[in-house]
Amino acid sequence: MGLFTPALHRQRHQFVIDFVKRKKPKKVLDLGCCECVLLKQLKFHREIELLVGLDIDGVQVKKKMHGLAPISTDYLQPSYDQLRIELYQGSVTEKDARLRGFDLVTSIELIEHLTLADVELFSEVVFGYLTPEAVIVSTPNSDFNPFLPGLVGFRHSDHKFEWTRAEFKSWAMKVCLQYGYEVELTGVGQAPPGQQERVGFCSQIGVFHRLGGKERYNMFDEDAEDVFSYTLLYSIIYPSLHDNNILRRVLMCEVVYWAEKLKRRWIAEETGERDDTYDLCQAEGEGGECFRASERHVDTEETQTAACGAEMKTLVDQEEGDGELFWTPSQPDSDKWRRRVSVPLAVLWCCCPKVSLLSGSVSNLRLLLMDEPRVKLSQDGSAVLLNHQEQDLDDDDEEEHRADFEDSGYAEARQCPPSAEPAEDWEANV
């Protein structure tokens, strides 16, 4: 078992994650991102809209950057959240205008790898030029080193220094006075019982907050240089329902899925059989009316719900009229005919909470589906038309569905292998 549980590097990352949960920053920059471990955790916090990593070792970043790509679920179940991820190669001692004005900048176990002269440049770039609203800086606490078994010298061969708590506090206070910040000193990695007050945390952390808020950033923004010294290595935009093409695709899938469910229930009623879809709807409440599901998830008007219930009853119980079951040519000017089932859009909108959420209203639903070649509407646009039986699906439709899969992004996503977590070692833990 290691010296710390959880391992110290996990505690440092959890400190940042807890801060993100509380403060909900939209733009986050991780300095010294290296293997992108922290970024891979932060990408799941969808309050973040722009997630950026910077490291001087571009080779190492390129090895790990594809682990930040969207996974299958991001394509199949996109949300309204927007996320863009960018990775840059560059030095924290150099300026780049693209990274100015972030809500949060993190520097986890980085500054001890710089010379003291470069630490001064780091302070000027991060606090004086980038001017983020908040900065989290962690670095080893040399007061704690006597408690690390077998340690001789610094904790890592590349460390240029390791500060005591007094030295770290002195640097932090100087930064605050020079660049207009305030700081809270804390840390992770508890000392042995009875020693916490004397030696502090194994990793000491400074949480800096900019004084003056947005106004101070805007003041600095006017005189800032437009410098671009970093190299962009990776950029990806996650699927989002704010993209109208993605919204239409997701809506189309939901409409087809629910229309098929309702069609099968209607056929089961007509033939006197009960399939799994019927049982699922029946379990939703008394009378088995599917619109009860939408009552639990969507806050609809009482009159709207009543109308939806009436239309649902019409679809399920009506034996003739309104063309619920009818014949249409399989192709224009063709002698082949096929049976169709008509599912009113009003019923779909009421029965499926996600359809109502994505479309907003029945009229919007009609407009969104009107130019959608993968959904067949009735002549007046009031209903979705489905084949009466699955075997009615012809070769053209089958080829169309195969093309839909290729265009969905899911096929591409399946080719991205899961990234392996780096092996832990003693130096990483402390």
Side-chain angles (χ1 to χ4, degrees):
M1 181 179 293
L3 186 62
F4 298 99
T5 304
L8 195 60
H9 71 281
R10 296 187 187 278
Q11 292 189 41
R12 290 190 290 259
H13 289 172
Q14 189 61 49
F15 184 94
V16 174
I17 291 169
D18 291 342
F19 183 92
V20 168
K21 288 179 178 178
R22 293 194 310 271
K23 301 298 183 179
K24 303 189 183 307
K26 292 184 177 181
K27 298 170 65 178
V28 177
L29 166 63
D30 182 32
L31 301 177
C33 63
C34 192
E35 296 183 345
C36 307
V37 176
L38 179 58
L39 296 177
K40 289 175 186 176
Q41 298 175 65
L42 290 177
K43 76 171 188 173
F44 293 104
H45 296 268
R46 290 303 181 85
E47 60 267 17
I48 299 175
E49 296 179 359
L50 176 59
L51 186 59
V52 177
L54 172 69
D55 201 279
I56 198 168
D57 188 349
V59 174
Q60 190 66 31
V61 172
K62 288 179 180 179
K63 287 181 181 179
K64 302 294 182 179
M65 64 187 186
H66 294 293
L68 294 168
I71 59 177
S72 306
T73 308
D74 296 311
Y75 289 98
L76 295 173
Q77 298 178 343
S79 67
Y80 278 104
D81 302 316
Q82 301 181 83
L83 174 63
R84 186 167 86 250
I85 298 178
E86 296 176 351
L87 299 177
Y88 292 89
Q89 178 182 2
S91 170
V92 293
T93 63
E94 297 177 346
K95 300 175 181 178
D96 193 298
R98 289 169 290 187
L99 305 189
R100 299 193 74 247
F102 274 58
D103 301 310
L104 172 64
V105 170
T106 63
S107 170
I108 307 302
E109 307 296 285
L110 169 66
I111 61 172
E112 63 273 9
H113 293 271
L114 307 175
T115 64
L116 290 176
D118 282 343
V119 171
E120 291 299 316
L121 292 175
F122 168 89
S123 304
E124 179 184 346
V125 169
V126 174
F127 297 96
Y129 180 77
L130 299 182
T131 61
E133 282 197 46
V135 183
I136 297 176
V137 178
S138 83
T139 190
N141 169 21
S142 64
D143 291 336
F144 199 99
N145 285 357
F147 293 98
L148 302 178
L151 177 64
V152 177
F154 292 153
R155 300 182 191 181
H156 192 281
S157 58
D158 188 56
H159 286 185
K160 308 301 188 294
F161 63 88
E162 289 180 1
W163 279 334
T164 64
R165 288 181 296 164
E167 290 170 327
F168 182 56
K169 181 178 180 180
S170 175
W171 170 79
M173 296 307 297
K174 179 182 176 182
V175 163
C176 290
L177 290 172
Q178 190 168 357
Y179 299 107
Y181 281 77
E182 60 182 0
V183 66
E184 172 194 357
L185 299 176
T186 180
V188 294
Q190 291 280 346
Q195 302 293 327
Q196 183 66 37
E197 187 173 345
R198 185 173 71 85
V199 301
F201 295 96
C202 186
S203 277
Q204 49 191 341
I205 296 176
V207 182
F208 298 81
H209 292 277
R210 190 178 66 227
L211 299 174
K214 295 288 186 184
E215 293 78 10
R216 183 176 177 83
Y217 168 69
N218 291 334
M219 178 182 69
F220 276 91
D221 188 54
E222 295 177 359
D223 302 324
E225 307 170 66
D226 285 335
V227 182
F228 305 98
S229 57
Y230 303 153
T231 301
L232 179 64
L233 300 178
Y234 181 77
S235 179
I236 187 72
I237 298 176
Y238 270 57
S240 169
L241 292 173
H242 285 279
D243 183 325
N244 197 49
N245 291 329
I246 293 176
L247 173 65
R248 284 176 178 268
R249 183 184 301 153
V250 173
L251 180 62
M252 182 272 300
C253 291
E254 290 292 326
V255 166
V256 169
Y257 173 74
W258 278 93
E260 284 288 344
K261 284 176 71 98
L262 293 175
K263 180 197 77 173
R264 290 172 186 171
R265 183 183 176 187
W266 180 81
I267 291 175
E269 287 284 336
E270 288 295 293
T271 60
E273 299 176 357
R274 294 173 62 177
D275 63 356
D276 294 340
T277 303
Y278 181 87
D279 292 336
L280 178 62
C281 290
Q282 189 80 351
E284 293 296 334
E286 294 181 4
E289 297 182 18
C290 287
F291 70 87
R292 293 185 185 275
S294 68
E295 290 180 321
R296 291 198 304 273
H297 297 284
V298 182
D299 185 18
T300 56
E301 295 291 338
E302 186 174 332
T303 54
Q304 206 172 19
T305 305
C308 176
E311 290 199 61
M312 182 71 211
K313 182 175 177 60
T314 299
L315 175 65
V316 175
D317 295 339
Q318 186 172 3
E319 296 183 1
E320 295 181 356
D322 292 337
E324 254 65 30
L325 176 63
F326 57 98
W327 296 85
T328 62
S330 60
Q331 298 291 340
D333 303 323
S334 170
D335 293 333
K336 289 179 61 180
W337 288 71
R338 63 169 57 155
R339 293 181 296 174
R340 302 276 194 184
V341 174
S342 172
V343 181
L345 295 184
V347 173
L348 275 171
W349 192 89
C350 218
C351 288
C352 177
K354 195 166 184 179
V355 169
S356 60
L357 181 65
L358 292 172
S359 59
S361 67
V362 176
S363 58
N364 284 342
L365 177 60
R366 182 181 298 110
L367 289 174
L368 288 167
L369 296 178
M370 197 164 290
D371 297 324
E372 178 52 67
R374 291 163 289 188
V375 175
K376 296 179 175 62
L377 295 181
S378 59
Q379 286 188 347
D380 61 0
S382 65
V384 174
L385 303 182
L386 299 171
N387 296 318
H388 184 255
Q389 299 291 346
E390 275 82 358
Q391 54 263 38
D392 289 338
L393 197 68
D394 58 25
D395 293 338
D396 291 338
D397 289 333
E398 196 170 326
E399 184 64 30
E400 184 177 320
H401 281 283
R402 189 180 298 112
D404 292 344
F405 173 78
E406 296 295 334
D407 294 340
S408 68
Y410 177 58
E412 179 183 352
R414 288 181 60 187
Q415 298 174 3
C416 296
S419 58
E421 285 293 324
E424 293 187 20
D425 56 29
W426 185 87
E427 290 179 338
N429 289 344
V430 298

